[in-house]
Amino acid sequence: MDIETPSHKSHFVYILRCGDGTLYTGYTTELLRRIAEHNAGKGAKYTRGRTPVELVYVEEGESRSWGLRREESIKHLSRIDKENLIAGRQAHNGASCRER
């Protein structure tokens, strides 16, 4: 997945596939740093014992409030709906998306 450096303050909602096959959804303003933290065991408690993690989905937005709302809405999706989102089979609510 290619992630270019944004020219403005970007907000990202992302999905990681953990080493055990589970999915983790998060929010950050520094995507590459955050993924490195997860893989170093310094990210969220959930991912610490589930490394390595792989970025499988990301959406970019322009505000923290958008990011936190979108993160929460994705977290409430079923596993099947998350897999469909990753595969590009579900609407993205008008957000800029990059998929693997």
Side-chain angles (χ1 to χ4, degrees):
M1 179 172 288
D2 294 323
I3 305 297
E4 54 287 336
T5 304
S7 59
H8 60 285
K9 177 97 172 182
S10 292
H11 301 265
F12 301 96
V13 174
Y14 60 93
I15 300 176
L16 303 174
R17 190 172 310 277
C18 299
D20 64 357
T22 60
L23 298 173
Y24 172 82
T25 303
Y27 160 82
T28 188
T29 57
E30 296 182 42
L31 187 59
L32 297 178
R33 174 192 56 81
R34 189 65 176 143
I35 294 166
E37 287 176 352
H38 285 295
N39 274 317
K42 298 179 187 211
K45 185 194 282 189
Y46 183 83
T47 61
R48 286 182 194 155
R50 293 175 166 86
T51 55
V53 300
E54 174 188 12
L55 180 65
V56 293
Y57 182 81
V58 65
E59 288 184 24
E60 181 178 358
E62 295 187 11
S63 71
R64 183 175 187 268
S65 61
W66 166 84
L68 295 175
R69 281 193 315 273
R70 186 63 178 140
E71 176 191 21
E72 191 65 24
S73 68
I74 291 173
K75 284 183 175 184
H76 282 85
L77 294 175
S78 69
R79 169 79 185 219
I80 292 171
D81 287 340
K82 289 177 189 175
E83 293 288 357
N84 285 336
L85 183 64
I86 292 165
R89 294 188 293 258
Q90 186 171 335
H92 307 297
N93 296 341
S96 166
C97 300
R98 290 182 223 135
E99 299 168 18
R100 179 164 188 198

